[in-house]
Amino acid sequence: MPDCCGKQGHFPADPDLLVIGAGSAGFSAAITAAQAGATVVLAGAGTIGGTCVNVGCVPSKTLIRATEAVHQARRADRFNGLHGAATITDWKALVRQKRQLVGELRQARYADLLPAYPNISYVEARARFTGQGIEVQLDAVPCRPKKIILATGAAPALPPIEGIQGIDALDSTAALDLDVLPASLLIIGGGVIGCELGQMFARAGVAVTICCRRRLLPEAEPEASAALGVRMREEGVIVHEGVSYRKIERRGNQVELQCRTEAGEQTLHAEQVLAAAGRRPNTGGLGLERAGIALTAGGGVAVDASLRSSHPDVYAAGDVTGRDLYVYMAAYGGKLAAGNALDGAARRYDNATMPAVVFTDPQLASVGLTEDQARASGFAVKTSTITLDQVPRFIAARDTHGLIKLVADGATDRLLGAAILAPEAGDSIQTVVMALRAGITTAELGAMIFPYLTAVEGIKLAALGFSRDVGTLSCCAG
């Protein structure tokens, strides 16, 4: 097999598989193929490891935990006889610690893995289809693989507001790398990033305003979204929902946003702006049109249930498809795409029981269908919602802001979905994931034995709530 030479040395000119993108989806695909004995070229253009470890999950969650520690200390007086206080004495030191963690994980979970797979050739190069069959140029070097997996991820997108290009708006990457906290921050977008970082910066002492076109977390159950909004407003975050944007511009050391809010026409002011209105797939510059690779209306690579694109030898996985923007779904998709590319099988991508977690405090975790989605799908829907003041674990912890909502089929009693707004809800939601995969009924869920004084017991109580008033039950839901 002939070799080519790139920035990282020699690589096969005609490998079994070329993986374009060295993030979670790309590494998952490359490792899966290598374990199957395939020769793999893994081409990365940018920092190895992709979004999650470098600029997404890891840096955001460590800073969120840091500011959560400050907030919890300040809330100690919810217990009689306690008083706590915590302050951020050196934000720059926190950011340095974050950068160190990112570097360590990037090295350990990505770069250091490559030597264990000698049939993976890693090359730092930008890929571009030439239009000559399945040939791709890695920088200026041709590569003619048998199959290709696109795993180039996604990047922050600017909202379509007049003047946004001229104000040096932060994206999530830049916001997480600020050495100095701004006095005030205007966040445009009330999705996952807007809510997580909005609460984080507010707890760090920044005056935060969040504006969104619809409502906070618009895809979530409305009860959970509303309850989270209450908590954030209690913490001092100003939230404007249903906003129509007019114009944004910088005047001196302030940014001014002209918009219409629930209070009418307003001009909002802040020292800095964070654009958190979504992400766009990284498909530009690849020459996909030369290979006849179709895109979706949102700009992602269009794929079928097996993750095959409109080109029979090209697959795509992860954020570049424009859906399910979670690192674990990227890894799952990369593994599935690699298997299908190598053996021609048609393993189907299945996100029916995909858990989703928003790392606010309380966390919002969900899986399956919302009530609206279930009705739109034709189910005779029934729901059960309990608040956390009905769950002994949260009563004892004096932290009862939140709820648990279950959605079920009224005809069969089969569980269809759940939303949990509670401390560490991301840990509890996996119980519902397994229940959905097993196809159990709410009656079966309510009959299961759960440990007392745990957060997950709330799921049992919510299941019992379909047929009983949980307020009339004794301890352990007896």
Side-chain angles (χ1 to χ4, degrees):
M1 178 178 292
D3 277 359
C4 294
C5 188
K7 293 179 183 177
Q8 294 296 309
H10 292 275
F11 61 90
D14 53 352
D16 296 316
L17 183 67
L18 168 63
V19 180
I20 303 173
S24 178
F27 260 77
S28 178
I31 289 173
T32 298
Q35 289 174 329
T39 57
V40 181
V41 173
L42 175 62
T47 307
I48 194 170
T51 295
C52 180
V53 70
N54 290 302
V55 298
C57 320
V58 171
S60 65
K61 275 51 180 182
T62 191
L63 292 179
I64 286 169
R65 280 300 195 194
T67 58
E68 185 176 312
V70 173
H71 179 73
Q72 290 300 333
R74 294 169 179 169
R75 294 186 64 231
D77 59 2
R78 70 184 189 273
F79 295 98
N80 290 343
L82 294 187
H83 175 76
T87 57
I88 296 174
T89 58
D90 190 344
W91 177 260
K92 193 171 183 177
L94 271 177
V95 173
R96 282 198 304 268
Q97 185 184 45
K98 178 265 297 184
R99 291 171 185 157
Q100 180 182 2
L101 173 65
V102 166
E104 291 170 351
L105 287 177
R106 178 174 59 237
Q107 190 68 32
R109 300 298 174 89
Y110 291 92
D112 287 350
L113 295 181
L114 290 170
Y117 301 96
N119 47 339
I120 297 178
S121 299
Y122 174 66
V123 56
E124 292 181 4
R126 294 196 176 276
R128 186 169 179 82
F129 286 84
T130 66
Q132 304 298 315
I134 199 174
E135 182 182 82
V136 171
Q137 282 195 339
L138 300 178
D139 285 342
V141 182
C143 182
R144 302 177 182 85
K146 295 181 177 67
K147 303 286 182 180
I148 292 176
I149 294 177
L150 297 169
T152 49
L158 283 176
I161 303 173
E162 181 184 346
I164 192 75
Q165 299 283 352
I167 64 164
D168 297 322
L170 300 168
D171 59 19
S172 57
T173 300
L176 290 167
D177 215 34
L178 288 172
D179 284 326
V180 178
L181 290 169
S184 55
L185 181 66
L186 172 63
I187 299 178
I188 299 174
V192 175
I193 294 172
C195 288
E196 287 184 354
L197 298 194
Q199 187 179 51
M200 181 198 82
F201 279 114
R203 289 178 169 186
V206 178
V208 173
T209 300
I210 298 177
C211 292
C212 49
R213 293 183 184 277
R214 295 169 58 192
R215 58 178 170 87
L216 294 181
L217 302 173
E219 305 304 320
E221 291 282 12
E223 302 97 319
S225 172
L228 179 62
V230 170
R231 167 57 71 88
M232 294 183 74
R233 290 180 175 96
E234 288 174 349
E235 294 186 23
V237 178
I238 297 172
V239 180
H240 295 294
E241 298 174 303
V243 175
S244 297
Y245 301 109
R246 304 287 191 253
K247 182 180 180 181
I248 191 166
E249 59 186 340
R250 180 168 289 280
R251 290 184 179 273
N253 64 349
Q254 292 281 302
V255 173
E256 294 185 357
L257 172 65
Q258 298 174 23
C259 59
R260 182 174 182 81
T261 73
E262 65 275 19
E265 297 291 337
Q266 283 192 279
T267 300
L268 305 177
H269 304 264
E271 183 179 318
Q272 288 190 288
V273 172
L274 167 58
R279 297 175 67 80
R280 64 176 185 277
N282 292 325
T283 54
L286 292 169
L288 300 182
E289 67 284 353
R290 296 181 180 182
I293 297 171
L295 302 181
T296 66
V301 177
V303 293
D304 63 15
S306 67
L307 299 185
R308 189 195 300 261
S309 76
S310 55
H311 191 295
D313 295 320
V314 179
Y315 292 73
D319 293 3
V320 74
T321 65
R323 65 179 183 183
D324 301 340
L325 306 186
Y326 300 99
V327 63
Y328 42 92
M329 296 305 290
Y332 161 69
K335 182 175 183 178
L336 185 145
N340 287 344
L342 293 178
D343 63 20
R347 302 170 185 85
R348 297 179 64 84
Y349 182 88
D350 181 6
N351 61 0
T353 56
M354 175 190 74
V357 184
V358 183
F359 286 85
T360 48
D361 177 24
Q363 293 176 4
L364 175 56
S366 59
V367 66
L369 300 178
T370 64
E371 179 179 353
D372 287 346
Q373 290 169 338
R375 293 191 190 282
S377 298
F379 289 100
V381 175
K382 64 177 183 177
T383 66
S384 172
T385 302
I386 64 169
T387 50
L388 296 193
D389 56 6
Q390 295 172 298
V391 182
R393 169 62 179 170
F394 300 113
I395 297 171
R398 299 188 179 277
D399 194 1
T400 57
H401 189 99
L403 56 88
I404 300 171
K405 179 177 180 178
L406 300 182
V407 179
D409 182 354
T412 65
D413 194 41
R414 182 169 63 90
L415 189 64
L416 298 175
I420 304 174
L421 180 69
E424 306 304 332
D427 294 326
S428 296
I429 199 64
Q430 197 63 22
T431 296
V432 185
V433 171
M434 291 185 286
L436 288 176
R437 288 189 67 86
I440 72 171
T441 64
T442 68
E444 291 169 329
L445 184 60
M448 290 182 179
I449 298 173
F450 282 69
Y452 184 54
L453 278 176
T454 61
V456 75
E457 184 193 23
I459 296 171
K460 175 186 177 77
L461 290 166
L464 290 172
F466 281 102
S467 58
R468 304 177 65 178
D469 178 0
V470 298
T472 65
L473 302 177
S474 65
C475 291
C476 308

